[in-house]
Amino acid sequence: MIERREFGYFTFGQKIMIRHVSLKSPSELFELIKKATPLHMYYSAAHYRYPQAPMEEKVWLGAELIFDIDADHLNLPCKERHDFSICEDCRSMLSPTSERCSTCGSIKVRRTDWVCENCIEAAKGEIHKLLEFLEVDFGISYSKISVNFSGNRGFHTVVNDEGLFTLDQMSRKEITDYILGSGLDFALYGIPIDRRRYPSAKFEYTDGSWRGRLARAAFEVIKDLHKPRIADRMVKLIGNKEYNKLLQIKDSLLKSWLDSPKWDALKPSVTKAIATLAIEEARGMIDSIVTTDIHRLIRLTNTLNGKTGFLAKKLEHDTLDQFNPFTDAVVMPDEPCRVHVIYMPKTRILDEWYGPYKNEYVKIPTYLAVLLLCKGIATIT
Amino acid sequence: MSILLSLEMIAKYPFTKAAKDYVSSLRIDIESLGSPEFARVYERAKFRVEEALERGGKSYEVGDVSVIMDRDLEVELLSFPLALFIVAAIDDDFATRRFGLVEAIRAEKLISKERLEVIEVLATEELGFNLKRVKKKLDKDYELAIHFTDYLREASRFNATEWKLINRYLENGYVNITQRELARLMRSSIERYIITRVKSIGSVRPLDYMREFVKEQKDKLLSRKYKIESSTFGPLPNSWPPCMKALYQNLIKGESLSHFANFAFASFLLNVGISVDDIVNIYSNRSDFDEKVARYQIEHIAGMRGSRTKYTSPSCSTMQTHGLCIEQGRLCGRIKNPLSYVRRFRRFKNQQ
Ligand code: SF4
Ligand SMILES: [Zn+2]
Ligand SMILES: [Zn+2]
C-alpha cells in the first residue's frame, strides 16, 4: 500500500522537511532515495486517498497503531553521566545542564545526548512491557506487531492490524492512557486510599488487565522496599517515618499478601503510595503524542538515522533481547578516517573500545567517525 | 435475525434493517402518509419530532411504555420514516442531531428491558458490535464482553472515569460490560446511525400536509439561535487562539466535544472573563444540553463549587496531546498557554 502513504525527508544541510511526497511503487522509493540521498527518511503510518495533497485535503483512510519508546524519556540515572553540552563558539565540552560556556562565556551551547548500553536495555524493558499489553490485554497477535530500532535511543512498535486501522484519535488516547497507567481510579478498583468505605474487591494475582498487573506489581514493590530504586520514591510519597515503619513489617506483610493482595491491611496513605508505585513499575513508558497523532510521520524502517548513521533496523521478535545497536546497527564501512573530536565518552563499538577523546585528532573507523559527525561533536580535518 | 422479525420488535427498533425492509415491502410513500387514513401515523411522527426538539427526550426518560411506543404497532413503525423525512425537511443541523440523540435514548430505554439474547442480536447483527459471552465476577457479575475497538468508538467520548479503558477489565481484546452499559454504547451507535439516515435523505421540500408543522419548528429553532448569538460577546472574537475558535465553532454547530475539550473551552472562557450565564448559553446548542448539569460543571470550573479552586485553561502542550492544538501552534508563535494568545492580542491592540 505504498501508494497510499505520505513520505517526507530531510536532505543534508536542509532544516525544513520535504513533505507530502507520494510514491507509486517501491522502485520509485529507491529512485527517490538514490536521487535525494536523504539525511532522514520518513513515511506516514496513515493511509490517505491523496497522500500528496496538503493536510486538509488528504482524506485520511486509517493509520497503523504506532508506539515510540525513547530512552531519553525514561529518567535514567546514566543520562546525567553521559550526556554533555558543547560550546559552539570555542568548542569546549560542558556539563549537560550548562546554559553558558564556562570558558568563553558564549550562550551558544548545544546539548548532546549520548546513548549507552544501559539506555538501550532500559528501553528494551519498556518494549517488553508494551508487547505484553498489546498481546495479553489487547489480544493483538504477535504476527501483526513489528519492532524497529529507531537508529538512536529507542524503538518503534508498529501494529498493522486491519481491525485497528480506523481507530480515531480519542480511541488512541484511551489506548495510550491504558498503557501509561494514566487515569487509573483506585476507588473504582476497590483499593482503599482514603477513609471512605469501598466495596470489598477481590484481587487475584492471576487476574488479567490492570487488576492483575496492579496486584503483581504491588507485591513486587513491597518485596523490593529496601532497594534504593523503590525506597527513594516511597520516602518521597510517605516520608521517612512511615517508610521505616513499613520496612519493619515488610516480612509479615509479604506473608499476608502471599495468596492475594490485602490492600486494606495498611493505612490508606501507605496503600495509596504502594499502588502508585505499582503503576509506575507496571506501565509501559510510551510517548503519548506519537500514538495519538493519526497523521504521524515515522522513520522508514531499514534506513539510516541521520543523527547517528546507525541503521533503523527491523528486529525479529527473537532477536530483540540480544540486540545491541553498537554491533547490530553498525553498517558504515570500517576504513579509518581522521577527525577532530571535541568530546566523546568512552564507547564500545563493534566490540572495540574507543576514547574517551577530548579535543584531539584521532584516526577511527568510518562508522564511529560518522556517529560523531552526525552528533556534531567532531569535524573532518 | 429471527428474533427481530416480529412486528413488535421492528416497531420497537425501527432503525433496523428488518424494519426498513418491512416498511419498503408495504409500498407506502411519504406522500400518502398525509392522507386521513394515516392521520395517526402523522400525529405520532410529529410527536417524535417535538419530543426531540422541544422536550429533549424527557418524556421518554420518565415516560411509561405508551409514550415510548404507540399501541398500534403499525402506526409506531411507519411514524419513524415519516419523522426522519420531516427532520430532513426542517433541514437544520441542530435539529438533526437532537432527533438522533432522542430517538437513541428511546431505543436505549427499550433495550435495557430486553432479554440478553435479543440485545446480542441487535448489537451484533444490526450495529456490527463484536461481542462475546464471558463469566467473570469482579465488582459486578459480567456476562458480556465487547471488543475494545467497538467499545472505544463510543466510550472514548464519555466523561465518567468508569468508562475510561484503564478502569475496565480488558483481556485478550475484550472489555467486560454489563447489559446496561452495552445499552448505553448501543445508544451512541444508534444515534450516529440515525443522524446519517437523516443526512442521506438530503434537503427535501416539505410536503403540503407537513408544511405548517415544519415552518413552526423552524421558527422555534431560529428564535433559539437568535438568543445565543445576541449573547454579550457576539460572533467569533478575534482575540481567541485558533484552537478555541475551532471549539467554539463546533459547539455552535451543535457538535458534542470530548470531556477534556469542554473543560479546556469552558476554563478558557472563564479566564478571559466571560460570565457563567453566557457560557451556559453557548453550550445550549449542544444536542444533549441539560442546563442544570452544564451550569453545575461550569461553576465547578469557575471555582464556585466543590474544591473552590479556579481552574486555568490547559497549556498548549496538553492541548496538543489531546489533539486540539491547531497546526502544531504554527499560527500562534511561541506561547505556552492559549491565554497568552489573548493577552498578547490585547497588548498589541492597546499599542495601536
Ligand atoms: S499553540 Fe496553543 S493557543 Fe495556539 S492553537 Fe495550539 S494550543 Fe491553541
Ligand atoms: Zn565557549
Ligand atoms: Zn545511558
Side-chain angles (χ1 to χ4, degrees):
Chain A
M1 282 309 244
I2 188 169
E3 69 278 8
R4 290 254 168 271
R5 303 206 196 246
E6 176 195 353
F7 288 83
Y9 57 91
F10 285 96
T11 54
F12 283 78
Q14 218 79 59
K15 285 235 161 62
I16 294 171
M17 197 199 297
I18 297 165
R19 286 197 64 167
H20 314 301
V21 176
S22 164
L23 299 167
K24 292 210 178 50
S25 63
S27 58
E28 272 196 30
L29 173 62
F30 292 128
E31 283 309 309
L32 172 73
I33 291 176
K34 269 191 257 169
K35 212 174 76 209
T37 55
L39 180 60
H40 299 279
M41 184 81 209
Y42 302 95
Y43 76 105
S44 65
H47 289 188
Y48 301 102
R49 179 151 307 136
Y50 311 111
Q52 73 286 5
M55 203 42 102
E56 315 75 59
E57 295 159 22
K58 277 188 170 13
V59 188
W60 186 84
L61 302 172
E64 290 156 345
L65 185 60
I66 51 175
F67 301 94
D68 178 36
I69 284 172
D70 193 317
D72 208 31
H73 298 157
L74 301 180
N75 270 324
L76 300 171
C78 62
K79 194 172 152 53
E80 284 313 305
R81 263 179 268 134
H82 56 55
D83 286 5
F84 55 94
S85 289
I86 277 179
C87 169
E88 302 255 23
D89 281 331
C90 74
R91 304 191 165 262
S92 322
M93 197 271 285
L94 308 165
S95 74
T97 52
S98 336
E99 285 175 7
R100 185 176 275 279
C101 174
S102 49
T103 316
C104 75
S106 163
I107 51 162
K108 276 171 117 186
V109 170
R110 183 164 43 85
R111 195 188 156 102
T112 304
D113 314 292
W114 199 248
V115 61
C116 71
E117 286 172 18
N118 177 51
C119 292
I120 295 295
E121 287 312 308
K124 278 187 206 168
E126 298 303 312
I127 284 283
H128 280 301
K129 282 193 272 175
L130 171 64
L131 292 178
E132 195 198 297
F133 275 108
L134 294 179
E135 285 162 47
V136 181
D137 296 42
F138 289 93
I140 298 168
S141 89
Y142 230 38
S143 60
K144 299 194 165 144
I145 306 174
S146 54
V147 178
N148 307 324
F149 174 53
S150 72
N152 194 6
R153 280 165 315 187
F155 298 92
H156 296 151
T157 300
V158 178
V159 180
N160 197 340
D161 181 336
E162 231 170 86
L164 312 186
F165 215 60
T166 52
L167 283 168
D168 63 9
Q169 193 165 29
M170 283 203 245
S171 301
R172 288 172 201 245
K173 177 84 174 71
E174 283 294 295
I175 293 171
T176 309
D177 282 350
Y178 187 92
I179 293 168
L180 278 171
S182 154
L184 190 146
D185 186 327
F186 292 130
L188 283 176
Y189 276 84
I191 298 174
I193 47 146
D194 53 35
R195 297 244 166 264
R196 273 185 294 162
R197 284 222 259 137
Y198 291 93
S200 66
K202 220 171 142 351
F203 274 80
E204 305 281 355
Y205 293 119
T206 52
D207 275 339
S209 204
W210 263 99
R211 211 176 177 75
R213 192 172 272 115
L214 208 50
R216 294 187 295 273
F219 186 85
E220 293 297 314
V221 165
I222 299 173
K223 205 175 88 212
D224 292 347
L225 265 180
H226 57 285
K227 297 193 180 157
R229 207 168 55 90
I230 299 293
D232 294 350
R233 286 183 286 163
M234 194 57 108
V235 169
K236 246 187 224 144
L237 289 173
I238 57 175
N240 252 317
K241 203 169 124 227
E242 286 293 337
Y243 170 73
N244 285 327
K245 266 202 246 164
L246 187 60
L247 201 55
Q248 267 164 25
I249 60 163
K250 187 185 128 177
D251 288 338
S252 64
L253 194 59
L254 275 182
K255 208 174 286 164
S256 75
W257 272 57
L258 218 48
D259 302 327
S260 63
K262 308 291 184 304
W263 297 104
D264 41 16
L266 295 161
K267 260 197 190 166
S269 59
V270 177
T271 302
K272 186 176 178 180
I274 292 175
T276 305
L277 286 192
I279 293 179
E280 288 179 15
E281 293 293 294
R283 68 184 169 188
M285 283 299 274
I286 53 172
D287 181 336
S288 68
I289 291 181
V290 173
T291 305
T292 50
D293 182 353
I294 57 171
H295 303 290
R296 191 81 180 181
L297 292 181
I298 46 179
R299 185 175 300 284
L300 188 63
T301 314
N302 288 334
T303 58
L304 297 178
N305 183 323
K307 289 177 198 153
T308 56
F310 285 162
L311 186 67
K313 192 175 181 176
K314 178 171 162 55
L315 305 176
E316 299 308 323
H317 287 276
D318 51 353
T319 57
L320 174 65
D321 280 324
Q322 299 87 358
F323 177 77
N324 176 353
F326 292 98
T327 53
D328 303 320
V330 177
V331 287
M332 288 288 173
D334 54 6
E335 282 152 58
C337 198
R338 204 171 113 92
V339 290
H340 176 258
V341 184
I342 303 170
Y343 175 75
M344 182 193 87
K346 192 169 171 197
T347 296
R348 188 168 69 159
I349 187 162
L350 282 186
D351 278 327
E352 191 91 38
W353 284 99
Y354 298 89
Y357 299 136
K358 206 168 174 179
N359 246 319
E360 56 194 291
Y361 290 94
V362 292
K363 211 168 187 185
I364 48 178
T366 306
Y367 46 76
L368 181 55
V370 168
L371 172 65
L372 304 185
L373 291 167
C374 288
K375 292 245 172 222
I377 52 178
T379 45
I380 298 184
T381 56
Chain B
M1 202 61 191
S2 54
I3 303 181
L4 283 178
L5 280 180
S6 73
L7 185 58
E8 190 195 340
M9 274 299 167
I10 57 180
K12 274 179 171 175
Y13 307 113
F15 51 83
T16 54
K17 197 176 165 303
K20 209 175 166 187
D21 290 348
Y22 179 79
V23 170
S24 48
S25 77
L26 295 178
R27 306 193 164 278
I28 307 170
D29 57 18
I30 299 288
E31 181 90 59
S32 42
L33 287 175
S35 70
E37 74 178 287
F38 291 117
R40 291 204 30 217
V41 175
Y42 181 45
E43 283 311 308
R44 178 69 187 159
K46 284 198 293 188
F47 177 87
R48 291 184 107 125
V49 174
E50 285 172 334
E51 182 59 32
L53 300 192
E54 290 171 29
R55 293 182 293 279
K58 291 259 154 47
S59 334
Y60 291 157
E61 285 188 52
V62 295
D64 51 285
V65 192
S66 68
V67 180
I68 297 182
M69 295 266 286
D70 195 289
R71 239 168 312 148
D72 186 333
L73 296 176
E74 193 98 21
V75 167
E76 178 65 23
L77 177 60
L78 285 173
S79 67
F80 179 73
L82 181 54
L84 284 177
F85 186 91
I86 295 174
V87 175
I90 291 173
D91 190 19
D92 176 281
D93 223 34
F94 175 79
T96 305
R97 282 168 197 282
R98 191 86 174 185
F99 180 74
L101 171 74
V102 169
E103 281 291 324
I105 288 175
R106 172 189 169 279
E108 183 190 11
K109 279 272 151 191
L110 290 165
I111 289 169
S112 51
K113 294 201 192 78
E114 295 286 5
R115 279 177 302 133
L116 189 57
E117 290 76 12
V118 177
I119 299 182
E120 269 183 315
V121 171
L122 270 176
T124 55
E125 292 180 14
E126 291 294 336
L127 305 174
F129 285 3
N130 179 348
L131 289 182
K132 203 173 84 173
R133 291 270 186 135
V134 295
K135 247 193 162 45
K136 181 87 191 169
K137 195 174 162 49
L138 295 166
D139 51 329
K140 302 168 194 148
D141 282 311
Y142 290 93
E143 290 177 78
L144 280 174
I146 180 172
H147 195 262
F148 77 90
T149 48
D150 294 327
Y151 177 85
L152 288 177
R153 193 173 306 121
E154 316 303 340
S156 63
R157 283 158 177 75
F158 299 169
N159 301 339
T161 54
E162 57 259 38
W163 286 105
K164 262 196 93 58
L165 189 60
I166 192 171
N167 294 318
R168 312 295 311 200
Y169 195 81
L170 168 67
E171 200 170 31
N172 208 8
Y174 288 82
V175 182
N176 287 353
I177 44 168
T178 64
Q179 199 164 318
R180 272 186 66 166
E181 289 166 340
L182 178 60
R184 179 66 189 83
L185 294 176
M186 289 168 75
R187 170 178 133 191
S188 297
S189 173
I190 293 166
E191 176 181 351
R192 251 185 302 116
Y193 175 72
I194 291 175
I195 292 172
T196 346
R197 279 276 295 266
V198 174
K199 288 195 171 150
S200 72
I201 298 176
S203 48
V204 284
R205 288 169 48 115
L207 301 179
D208 279 340
Y209 69 92
M210 62 179 75
R211 187 155 294 145
E212 200 177 322
F213 178 72
V214 167
K215 183 169 181 319
E216 203 179 290
Q217 293 301 320
K218 279 187 128 149
D219 287 346
K220 283 185 192 158
L221 286 166
L222 214 66
S223 68
R224 238 188 89 263
K225 268 197 199 119
Y226 181 72
K227 220 173 91 200
I228 294 166
E229 271 167 20
S230 58
S231 68
T232 51
F233 58 87
L236 251 182
N238 258 327
S239 59
W240 293 4
C243 51
M244 296 300 166
K245 282 184 187 152
L247 290 178
Y248 179 64
Q249 269 156 350
N250 289 341
L251 273 174
I252 290 294
K253 271 192 258 156
E255 275 171 32
S256 54
L257 307 179
S258 73
H259 180 53
F260 177 80
N262 277 321
F263 170 76
F265 187 57
S267 59
F268 171 81
L269 294 180
L270 287 164
N271 277 286
V272 295
I274 289 169
S275 74
V276 172
D277 281 341
D278 282 338
I279 298 174
V280 170
N281 218 341
I282 297 175
Y283 273 90
S284 68
N285 225 18
R286 265 179 66 153
S287 57
D288 56 352
F289 176 70
D290 178 330
E291 162 140 14
K292 259 213 265 125
V293 176
R295 183 170 294 277
Y296 180 85
Q297 286 170 343
I298 294 162
E299 287 179 352
H300 186 89
I301 297 169
M304 293 154 75
R305 283 175 188 274
S307 57
R308 307 247 153 213
T309 36
K310 181 174 173 181
Y311 292 90
T312 64
S313 72
S315 68
C316 292
S317 68
T318 314
M319 294 286 286
Q320 217 165 50
T321 322
H322 285 83
L324 298 176
C325 177
I326 308 289
E327 291 197 26
Q328 279 127 6
R330 239 173 288 139
L331 310 166
C332 305
R334 281 182 196 206
I335 53 174
K336 293 226 167 74
N337 192 294
L339 287 169
S340 323
Y341 189 97
V342 179
R343 272 182 232 121
R344 207 179 46 190
F345 187 90
R346 287 184 182 156
R347 227 180 301 136
F348 185 66
K349 273 267 136 134
N350 287 341
Q351 282 165 6
Q352 281 186 335

